[in-house]
Structure formats: structure tokens, C-alpha cells
Amino acid sequence: MKNTLNIIPYKFPILTAFIFGVFSFVYGQNQPNIIFILSDDAGYADFGFQGSREFKTPNLDKLASQSIRFTQAYVSAAVCGPSRAGILTGKYQQRFGYEENNVPGYMSASGTTGDEMGLPLDQKLISEYLKEQGYKTALFGKWHMGNADRFHPTKRGFDTFYGFRGGARSYYEFNENNKSSRKEDRMERGFGGFEESKQYLTDALAHETVQFIEAHKAQPFFVYLSFNAVHTPIEAHPDDLKKFPKLKGKRKTLAAMTLALDRACGKVFDKLDELGLRDNTIIVFTNDNGGPSDTNASLNKPLGGTKANHLEGGIRVPFLMALPNQQQKHTTYKYPISTLDLFPTFYNLAGGNEKQILDLDGVNLLPFVTGENKSRPHETLYWKKEVRGAIRHQDWKLIRYPDRPAELYNLAEDESEVNNLATTHPDIVNDLYKQFFEWEVSLERPRWMLKHQYEKDAIERLDKYRN
């Protein structure tokens, strides 16, 4: 492990003021509002603040200048549903049988079928904890945690829901020219109350979020703005497409969809500024997994791999955290973190003691980003889907496959995972194998599985897009 500072100021020596400001806020002011924005299937390199020169993301770029930017932020799964289950519970989702398989799955060990598969009801979500802390809670957009009524967001701690229960849908209203036979694709206000947006969906979600903020400006609120952008189907607003005359095909459409995503985020940020709430609000922006380069032309460079595999391009994501009072401007955090850490961080900011929740796998990030704790938030991180799996211990990463020998990489020297060191460090391979197995045998059996064809598809995608 390299002996480097875990926090790096971009331009000015503001760390001392930053530490004082954050802790003055946490211990001396009212509960902050929490805005958690999650994009869907975006590429690691497809934002201006991540280095893109093709895509236009001015609002998120501005947020990055006001944020801690985490350069090694990981999700707990390489696909949408399980990743979101980890975020909402603060736990490795495999611990309660939510393997890296979306719902509804194909085969169920518990005997449940189809829409009856979902995030288990015995898991208490961050929305429920924050509601107990006096927060008004809202979810706008994609749910993907089960289609049955008992899994509904308004039964899982969200006071307000405007979105759809499934995992993907059209960005335009359904009609005779744009049909869908799946009930979970329908836009829904609250419990039931199906309706269709009269505008581009990404903009509609921002509109609903802004209205909620306006209505609840006098009390602490938690907003989970769960975009389906930029997940398939690849559908952009015609006006946005005109902004990218030099791009073609899927890449052009993706750029336009990303511009709409950025515009929607900007509307939320502007409302916070208008109401004078920005200095008492934490904003987090991240993505649910790596970009699926084959389906939406996303770029994950310099990382290899894509969504659905455990190379860095499948599990490392853009991540911004703007803390209250904007004491964090232009700061980079270098050590690995996980989206599992959002749960304890939010709960701590809300006034709760995350240490009293004994089974969390995430950690409160505040002591780490302020410099109070100079160690790594996580010495070890894990990923698993059936036979496939990965473990990162400090800077060493082992990837286990069903059809080839394991691979070993030193991420401090090779974040693109080009130089496989398994044959030159067999002792490290053995140690990591044992450590991974000890974690694996502590997990619940998967509650449902997918057809093996999907595993074959994942391996083929990996080989095609690994570098």
C-alpha cells in the first residue's frame, strides 16, 4: 500500500477549515436535509468531472467543484437491483440472500415466484430509520426492489413515491404508439394511482422532486432521486440530440440522455439555492453500477470491464458528496469506499448513532473525510454472484471465474487490470481465496437465481470489453 494522504486539496489548503466546519455542523446545528441522487448504468468516464470532453454535464461539474470527489468508490453489486438493495440496507445484500440477480428472478429457493420476489421485509431500510429521526422521506423514480404490494416504497419507509416499481421503462408516456404490457413499468403516484407523465421522464422526476422540496422546506427531508437515466431503452429528447452534432449512433443518444440527467440535477440544486437550503443539505451523486458498453455505448475508461462483471469498470463508480456549508470544495478522497457507507453516514448526520445498528457493513464516512480517522474506511471489500466473485484487500484484488483461473491485480499500480500477477504471487492468491471463502460461507443461500445463459452472456461481455 502506498503511503499517500487520503485527502488531497485541489487548489487551496482548506483541510483545517473543512474539518472544523463539518464537525461544527454535525454537532452544533439542526438535522440536515439529505438529497441522494442515483443515476442508472452511466459510464465511469461519461461526465465532465470524470474527464469527458464529449458529454456536457455543467451542473454536476459545478457540484463536483463543491464536493468531495471519491476516486475509488465502489458499489456492492455489478447490476442494478442488488446494488440498490445494498445501499438501502447498508449491508452486503448476499447476507440476506439477495445475490447479484435482479428481481423477478428465474428460480427461487424459497418457493416464491415472479413478482413475489423482492427485498426481504425483515430488512429495515435507511428510509425507515430516517423517518424515525423525524425526516419526511420521498422516492422519485425507479424502485426495482419487488413488484408485489408488500414491497412497495410507501410500506418501506417512504412517505412519498412517484415513479415505477420495475427496473426500466420508456422515457415517454405509454400510448397506442408506445405500448407496455408490464404493470410495473407504469408511472405511479403513491400506492397505485397509475398515470403517465406528459413530458420526458427525466425532467418529470426533477419536477416532482422540486415540488416536494418546496412543500417540505420547513422540516428535514430525505429525497432518494432514483433516475432510470441512462438505462435502456436508449431514448433522448429531440432538443437534447441537437446539442451533439459531432456524435453519432448510440453515443450521440447517450450524450443527450446524460445532458437531460444533468439538467434535472441542476433543477434540484437551483431549488435548494432559491429556498436558502443549500448550506443545510448534504447532496450525494453516484451511479448504481458500471456502464454496459454493449447496450448503451457508455465508456468506463481507464477502467476495464462493464456492468455485470467484477472488473473495475463493473463496480467502480463516480461519486460526489457535498456536505453542508460547502466546506469541502475541490477535495479528493483517494481510499476505497462503498455505497454501503451511505446508510451509516446519513443516519449519523440525522442525529442517530450508527454504531447501535450492529449488523451494518458500511461505515460512517465523516471521520474519514474530515481527517479525524486517517486509516482506510475498508481494508477489504467483497463481490459475489454465484461462482463468480472478487475480493479487494488493501490494493490487491482477486477475481474468481467459473471458466478460467483466478486473476490477481495490484490496483495501486494497475487500475486498468492489465497485468495479471496471479502466477507471480501464488501466496497472495491463496490468502485471498481463503479470505473470500470465509466471507462466502457466512452468507445466506441465494433466494432466487437467473438462467445460466445470463452467466454465459456476462463472461462474453467481459472478454469483449475488458480493456
Side-chain angles (χ1 to χ4, degrees):
M1 182 182 72
K2 291 185 177 180
N3 291 320
T4 56
L5 290 175
N6 58 332
I7 299 178
I8 298 179
Y10 280 165
K11 296 181 180 180
F12 304 107
I14 62 171
L15 184 56
T16 300
F18 168 58
I19 294 172
F20 176 79
V22 170
F23 277 94
S24 294
F25 169 78
V26 172
Y27 297 110
Q29 296 187 19
N30 295 327
Q31 294 167 300
N33 306 307
I34 301 171
I35 304 283
F36 172 46
I37 304 174
L38 189 65
S39 59
D40 193 350
D41 280 10
Y44 186 77
D46 285 338
F47 299 92
F49 67 88
Q50 291 288 98
S52 178
R53 295 184 178 180
E54 291 182 319
F55 285 24
K56 300 175 182 179
T57 54
N59 293 294
L60 289 170
D61 296 348
K62 182 179 179 181
L63 180 68
S65 72
Q66 303 164 341
S67 297
I68 308 162
R69 185 172 69 90
F70 294 79
T71 60
Q72 296 193 77
Y74 290 95
V75 289
S76 62
V79 291
C80 306
S83 173
R84 293 160 189 260
I87 292 170
L88 290 168
T89 62
K91 305 174 188 178
Y92 285 109
Q93 60 281 351
Q94 296 94 338
R95 287 179 52 197
F96 47 86
Y98 202 134
E99 190 88 359
E100 282 194 31
N101 297 307
N102 287 323
V103 296
Y106 163 66
M107 180 176 65
S108 171
S110 62
T112 56
T113 58
D115 288 349
E116 298 305 308
M117 300 176 186
L119 180 57
L121 299 180
D122 59 1
Q123 300 302 310
K124 189 173 180 179
L125 311 189
I126 182 59
S127 47
E128 297 175 274
Y129 279 99
L130 292 178
K131 192 170 181 178
E132 291 175 353
Q133 293 295 111
Y135 278 68
K136 295 297 292 185
T137 58
L139 167 61
F140 300 102
K142 171 175 170 174
W143 177 230
H144 210 196
M145 292 291 101
N147 297 333
D149 287 350
R150 68 176 181 275
F151 300 121
H152 195 270
T154 58
K155 295 189 175 183
R156 308 303 297 270
F158 290 100
D159 298 309
T160 298
F161 173 59
Y162 177 75
F164 60 101
R165 301 189 195 189
R169 58 150 286 154
S170 174
Y171 291 80
Y172 293 98
E173 64 179 308
F174 294 128
N175 52 39
E176 288 301 312
N177 299 318
N178 187 24
K179 296 182 179 181
S180 175
S181 60
R182 299 186 304 185
K183 186 177 179 181
E184 67 268 23
D185 290 352
R186 299 285 300 278
M187 293 300 295
E188 181 183 324
R189 185 175 297 281
F191 191 86
F194 293 104
E195 61 180 54
E196 283 305 310
S197 168
K198 299 300 183 182
Q199 56 185 313
Y200 190 69
L201 180 55
T202 304
D203 291 320
L205 296 178
H207 174 74
E208 294 292 332
T209 301
V210 165
Q211 287 195 321
F212 176 86
I213 292 172
E214 178 75 48
H216 299 285
K217 58 189 175 184
Q219 59 192 120
F221 55 77
F222 168 56
V223 168
Y224 174 22
L225 180 47
S226 178
F227 287 109
N228 56 315
V230 292
H231 197 291
T232 53
I234 306 298
E235 297 174 344
H237 194 285
D239 291 343
D240 293 329
L241 285 168
K242 296 175 184 178
K243 306 289 179 57
F244 300 93
K246 295 182 180 180
L247 296 180
K248 297 180 180 180
K250 287 184 178 180
R251 192 75 183 147
K252 179 186 182 81
T253 307
L254 184 68
M257 295 172 71
T258 305
L259 179 64
L261 168 70
D262 181 80
R263 177 175 62 248
C265 292
K267 290 178 180 177
V268 175
F269 304 155
D270 289 346
K271 176 55 69 171
L272 293 173
D273 290 336
E274 175 192 326
L275 297 176
L277 299 177
R278 190 65 173 270
D279 286 343
N280 193 34
T281 301
I282 177 174
I283 304 171
V284 171
F285 173 83
T286 189
N287 191 54
D288 63 351
N289 47 247
S293 303
D294 53 341
T295 60
N296 72 358
S298 52
L299 291 181
N300 296 314
K301 299 296 183 181
L303 309 178
T306 68
K307 174 182 179 176
N309 64 62
H310 296 136
L311 291 170
E312 291 291 283
I315 55 177
R316 193 191 293 197
V317 292
F319 193 108
L320 302 175
M321 179 182 287
L323 287 170
N325 295 317
Q326 298 188 17
Q327 296 290 330
Q328 70 293 337
K329 288 185 178 180
H330 281 217
T331 303
T332 299
Y333 190 82
K334 295 181 64 178
Y335 284 157
I337 66 159
S338 170
T339 49
L340 300 175
D341 302 330
L342 291 172
F343 185 123
T345 303
F346 291 163
Y347 189 57
N348 181 276
L349 280 167
N353 183 356
E354 76 283 356
K355 295 180 181 179
Q356 294 179 352
I357 307 175
L358 300 179
D359 55 353
L360 293 179
D361 292 309
V363 301
N364 174 19
L365 290 174
L366 290 178
F368 297 94
V369 300
T370 59
E372 179 192 22
N373 189 333
K374 299 184 184 302
S375 63
R376 293 181 175 224
H378 301 275
E379 287 290 309
T380 310
L381 292 168
Y382 304 92
W383 299 268
K384 179 184 180 297
K385 181 178 182 181
E386 299 181 30
V387 176
R388 290 190 290 125
I391 175 174
R392 173 172 179 165
H393 180 68
Q394 297 182 357
D395 289 326
W396 288 103
K397 180 180 173 186
L398 178 79
I399 307 178
R400 188 180 72 182
Y401 298 102
D403 66 337
R404 67 197 69 182
E407 296 172 354
L408 179 71
Y409 299 99
N410 186 329
L411 295 178
E413 301 173 356
D414 180 22
E415 69 175 3
S416 299
E417 296 170 296
V418 174
N419 187 19
N420 179 11
L421 302 174
T423 57
T424 57
H425 294 283
D427 53 335
I428 297 178
V429 171
N430 290 338
D431 288 345
L432 292 181
Y433 245 118
K434 291 179 180 178
Q435 190 172 351
F436 182 84
F437 183 68
E438 289 177 0
W439 174 76
E440 186 176 34
V441 297
S442 71
L443 307 174
E444 291 287 340
R445 289 286 188 182
R447 291 173 179 256
W448 55 82
M449 311 283 278
L450 297 180
K451 292 181 179 180
H452 283 304
Q453 177 62 40
Y454 290 106
E455 282 295 278
K456 184 175 184 293
D457 294 344
I459 292 295
E460 291 175 351
R461 172 187 275 173
L462 180 148
D463 287 336
K464 185 176 181 180
Y465 292 95
R466 74 173 299 138
N467 297 119

